[in-house]
Amino acid sequence: MKNQVHQGLESCNIKLSSVLSDSFGKSGRHILDGLINGKSIDEIIDGIPAKRVRKNGDQIRTAIKTGIDQTQVFLIESHLDTIDGLTQKLDKIDLEIKQRISGRKDDLKIAMSVPGIGFTAATTILAEIGNFKDFSTPDRLAAWCGLVPSVYQSADKLLTGSITKQGSKHIRWIMVQVAQAAAKREDQSSGNSSLGSKPEKGIMWQWWH
């Protein structure tokens, strides 16, 4: 939907994304609303709420060489209304999640103390596994999440393969994402990672202890 707004602007030779890091932030929406309502570029720039963005008035003038034709006004306004509607629904969902997770503040605090895990990741993990204390060891939890290697026996040898991928695919996805973020952060700061070669499993151990 946001791409369609950018495409509509570019069709009118308006390259707002070249001067704003977020065309849909507070200042970006001010500019978009001003263009839709037919305001002059000077009036739009003077009313930009962020002083830092307002200082880039000359760049904004260069990016906005023309106005928006009526067809694009209708389409862009429609897209923005849809974005606003979706944003409101997401805000309601976020509020509902916060209310439901409020009874597990201690678990949430523990989860978010692990490198790479923020509020969204923590609530997703807790929703998927329930009470992590139901698992006697981190290995059992990792196995339940499908994050342990598969094991094959050939004659008298045990061979390990890729992870089993048992259980919820949602928790595997979020755990791999946060593990990669945590490993990258540690690698950049210290030159190596304390999470080991399997960072998603290493997070289980950190969480447990």
Side-chain angles (χ1 to χ4, degrees):
M1 194 64 65
K2 290 183 177 180
N3 286 338
Q4 290 175 310
V5 173
H6 283 302
Q7 290 172 5
L9 292 172
E10 289 179 1
S11 71
C12 298
N13 200 28
I14 297 174
K15 302 184 182 298
L16 196 58
S17 59
S18 66
V19 292
L20 293 179
S21 58
D22 183 7
S23 300
F24 302 92
K26 194 171 182 179
S27 295
R29 282 303 300 264
H30 168 81
I31 295 173
L32 288 173
D33 291 340
L35 290 171
I36 289 173
N37 292 321
K39 293 183 178 180
S40 68
I41 186 63
D42 289 333
E43 186 179 1
I44 292 173
I45 292 174
D46 289 341
I48 293 176
K51 185 177 180 180
R52 177 182 57 82
V53 178
R54 195 162 59 248
K55 287 182 177 180
N56 297 327
D58 291 340
Q59 296 179 24
I60 294 173
R61 286 188 178 86
T62 301
I64 304 174
K65 296 180 179 179
T66 61
I68 303 178
D69 63 57
Q70 289 303 308
T71 299
Q72 289 302 328
V73 165
F74 172 79
L75 292 174
I76 292 174
E77 191 171 26
S78 177
H79 295 327
L80 291 176
D81 287 342
T82 300
I83 291 171
D84 290 341
L86 291 173
T87 300
Q88 290 177 1
K89 289 181 179 179
L90 289 173
D91 288 342
K92 288 182 179 179
I93 292 173
D94 286 342
L95 180 60
E96 181 69 19
I97 290 173
K98 289 178 180 178
Q99 290 175 342
R100 294 195 178 197
I101 204 69
S102 61
R104 303 185 65 182
K105 290 182 179 179
D106 290 341
D107 289 345
L108 187 64
K109 185 177 180 180
I110 293 172
M112 293 179 66
S113 69
V114 177
I117 296 183
F119 178 79
T120 301
T123 52
T124 301
I125 293 168
L126 291 174
E128 289 294 324
I129 69 175
N131 187 355
F132 68 89
K133 293 180 181 178
D134 290 339
F135 302 89
S136 58
T137 67
D139 282 335
R140 289 184 180 273
L141 176 55
W144 182 84
C145 295
L147 293 171
V148 297
S150 53
V151 180
Y152 305 92
Q153 186 170 4
S154 178
D156 59 345
K157 295 182 180 180
L158 291 178
L159 305 175
T160 58
S162 58
I163 60 174
T164 61
K165 295 186 179 180
Q166 295 177 345
S168 169
K169 64 180 180 180
H170 302 296
I171 193 169
R172 278 197 305 280
W173 179 82
I174 197 70
M175 287 301 297
V176 169
Q177 294 300 312
V178 299
Q180 290 176 345
K184 184 177 180 181
R185 183 185 304 170
E186 287 201 8
D187 186 60
Q188 289 176 340
S189 62
S190 63
N192 55 68
S193 174
S194 63
L195 296 176
S197 60
K198 295 290 184 181
E200 62 274 12
K201 190 175 178 182
I203 279 183
M204 294 292 186
W205 278 94
Q206 285 199 7
W207 191 353
W208 215 267
H209 296 86

